[in-house]
Each structure stands twice: as structure tokens, then as C-alpha cells.
Amino acid sequence: MLKLTKKQMALFEKFKDTLGIPKTGVPQYSGVRDDITLFRFLSGKQWVVKDALKQYRAMVKWRKEAKIDELGEWEKKNEDRIQLSKRLYPSAFCGDDKYGRPVVITRMGKTPIKEFVETYTIEEWHMQHNWRMEKTIELLRKRSIALKKPITQLIVIVDMEGIGFSYRHMMPYMQATSGVDKQNYPEIVGNIFAINTPWIVPIIFKVLSPFIDPRTKEKIIVSSSVDPKVMEIVGESVMPVAYGGKSTMKLPGGDAKESPEGKYEEDAKGDDLAVDQSVAASSTYTF
């Protein structure tokens, strides 16, 4: 199913043999022993088997410690919190790009930051993010089955309109989840298009940079409006009208001109407002 060169195929077989994964009989669209998952770890480490083995084994250990395989039960018990997260951190899939890769739109500027920080501890947001990532993997597998070809990545459009100095309160959450993705979900992103970027974005990227995989950094395209390459890859029929396309889908987070309620005042002063993990877990935090 995967299109590999002879050299890559030999490395792929070595990788599987070292992990004790049989050549046949392994379910291809479940668990973490399927060919697509193994491919992502190998390609993420540029086909250096030793490095891929180290990362893969760390991922298996993390999944056990984080109880990832129990997220189905967690989902049933936390449906209300999941629905709340969709409002506080608006994102949605809007279709497939020209190559069959799912396209997700995340509207960071629509997060009501005060409410978000008062609602979620770092630990709970970890679970929310893990759940979202597993749903993404599930979607990629469904698209692979439907299109009868391996779909290993997605396209992410991050609308940053509305982000200001107050977004510094979100940094502990972003750092934590970026670190999880870097270690446990390699090569899951084809491109990240950061659009409508305000002045503060370079500062945000500088803070997050150590937590982002170097190969992922190369895939980030930043634009103060909507980069033409987005339309080239995604296509007019999938791109929402608000971004210059023809899709009439409703954007996550509401109308493009609305402002989220509970947003911090942009002229807030003092580094004492910076939120760390202990503060974020407190129900008495004062803004």
C-alpha cells in the first residue's frame, strides 16, 4: 500500500523485525503497529532506524502511562467537557485537499482566553488534546480506506486574526501539547498555514519553537492575509468563502468579524499575569 523505494522497504522490514511485528496478520487501521504508523515514525527520523526505534518505543510507553487506549471510556464520561472545548478552542474539518488529505481550520483568535484558562487545568487540556489527536488519526484511517490509498497527513489552517498580547496566557497549554505531538505523532502534518497573522505571532512562534519538531517547522507558512499556496493545495471548493474560496461552511467560532467574549484587555500590564501550570490549575486565579 505504501510506495517505498527498495532501500526504504529494506529499512521498513528491519524496523518491523526489530519491533517483533509480523509481516502479515496485523490490522492496518487500528492500534500503533500498522504500516502507516510505522511509516510516519521512520520518515520522521529520515529513515534512521535506530532513532525511529527510540521514538516509537517512547511513544508506546507514553500511550500506556497516559491511558490513551482508554480514551473511548473517557469520552463517554466527558461529553459535556468535549462540547465545551469545541467552543473554547474552535476548530473543524472542512473537507479534503487536492491530494485527499483532510483540512482542519483552527481559529486561535476566537478562544475566549479568560474563560479557557479558568476552565481547564494543564492536565485536563492534555486529555482533551490527546482525544483530538486520536480522532485525527481515526479520520486519516477512514480517508485511507475510502480513497484506497494511504493518507498519512492532514493540512492545518490556523486563523490567527484577533490574537494579541493576552494570548501569552495560552503558552503553557500550547507548549505542553506541542511537546506531546512532537514525540508521539510525528509527520502527521503536511502543511500548517498560519493566516491573518498579527504583530505578536513571531513572539508566539519563538516561545513555541523548542517544542516543535524541526521537520514540522519547515512546513509552516506564515502570512498576514491568506497565502496563495493555501488555495493551490486546498482548492476553491474546500476553502471557505471568508478565506477567498467557495465553500459556504460555517467557520468554527462564529462569524469572522465577531470577537470572543471574556477576552483579556490588550493593554494588561505586568509579567505577573503570566500563567504557569500551578496557576492554571487554580480556581482562584485573579486577572
Side-chain angles (χ1 to χ4, degrees), residues 130-141:
N130 293 344
W131 175 82
R132 288 184 179 219
M133 292 304 294
E134 289 297 301
K135 288 296 182 182
T136 299
I137 294 293
E138 182 180 328
L139 176 63
L140 291 174
R141 287 171 170 167

Side-chain angles (χ1 to χ4, degrees), residues 16-260:
K16 293 180 73 171
D17 290 344
T18 305
L19 291 170
I21 298 175
K23 292 181 174 60
T24 60
V26 178
Q28 287 305 296
Y29 298 106
S30 64
V32 294
R33 291 156 61 89
D34 61 299
D35 287 352
I36 290 179
T37 299
L38 301 179
F39 170 78
R40 286 195 293 103
F41 276 83
L42 265 175
S43 61
K45 291 300 182 181
Q46 300 183 50
W47 296 88
V48 178
V49 173
K50 181 179 69 173
D51 294 344
L53 284 169
K54 181 179 179 181
Q55 184 178 14
Y56 182 87
R57 286 166 173 159
M59 176 273 296
V60 172
K61 180 181 178 182
W62 167 79
R63 289 183 69 90
K64 183 176 181 180
E65 293 173 348
K67 300 180 179 179
I68 299 301
D69 292 335
E70 298 177 20
L71 280 175
E73 288 301 314
W74 177 88
E75 179 181 1
K76 294 177 183 177
K77 296 177 182 178
N78 292 274
E79 290 183 1
D80 57 335
R81 302 290 283 180
I82 290 172
Q83 291 303 315
L84 179 61
S85 77
K86 293 178 180 179
R87 179 175 67 81
L88 298 185
Y89 194 79
S91 63
F93 291 99
C94 63
D96 296 340
D97 76 352
K98 294 180 179 180
Y99 306 98
R101 297 173 297 185
V103 179
V104 62
I105 295 175
T106 297
R107 302 184 71 198
M108 294 173 63
K110 286 295 182 179
T111 293
I113 301 173
K114 183 176 187 294
E115 184 179 359
F116 183 98
V117 175
E118 290 177 337
T119 299
Y120 293 113
T121 63
I122 298 291
E123 291 78 10
E124 183 179 359
W125 188 245
H126 253 302
M127 292 296 291
Q128 292 276 355
H129 181 75
N130 293 344
W131 175 82
R132 288 184 179 219
M133 292 304 294
E134 289 297 301
K135 288 296 182 182
T136 299
I137 294 293
E138 182 180 328
L139 176 63
L140 291 174
R141 287 171 170 167
K142 287 180 178 179
R143 299 310 296 144
S144 296
I145 293 171
L147 299 176
K148 297 181 180 180
K149 66 177 183 178
I151 303 297
T152 64
Q153 297 178 326
L154 71 158
I155 300 298
V156 180
I157 299 172
V158 184
D159 186 349
M160 308 190 82
E161 182 178 10
I163 288 179
F165 187 58
S166 63
Y167 207 80
R168 70 194 186 280
H169 297 273
M170 294 290 292
M171 288 300 97
Y173 298 88
M174 303 294 291
Q175 289 170 340
T177 55
S178 295
V180 167
D181 295 349
K182 177 181 178 180
Q183 166 57 44
N184 303 296
Y185 298 98
E187 288 297 287
I188 200 171
V189 172
N191 282 109
I192 298 176
F193 294 101
I195 65 174
N196 299 326
T197 55
W199 63 272
I200 199 170
V201 167
I203 300 173
I204 294 175
F205 281 171
K206 184 177 181 179
V207 173
L208 293 178
S209 182
F211 302 89
I212 302 175
D213 184 85
R215 286 172 63 88
T216 301
K217 291 179 188 177
E218 296 174 357
K219 302 173 183 178
I220 300 175
I221 298 174
V222 180
S223 175
S224 59
S225 55
V226 179
D227 191 281
K229 191 173 179 63
V230 186
M231 194 71 71
E232 179 184 328
I233 291 177
V234 174
E236 286 186 339
S237 63
V238 174
M239 183 68 84
V241 171
Y243 302 145
K246 296 182 178 179
S247 172
T248 56
M249 72 163 284
K250 183 178 180 180
L251 291 176
D255 182 79
K257 299 303 180 183
E258 292 177 358
S259 295

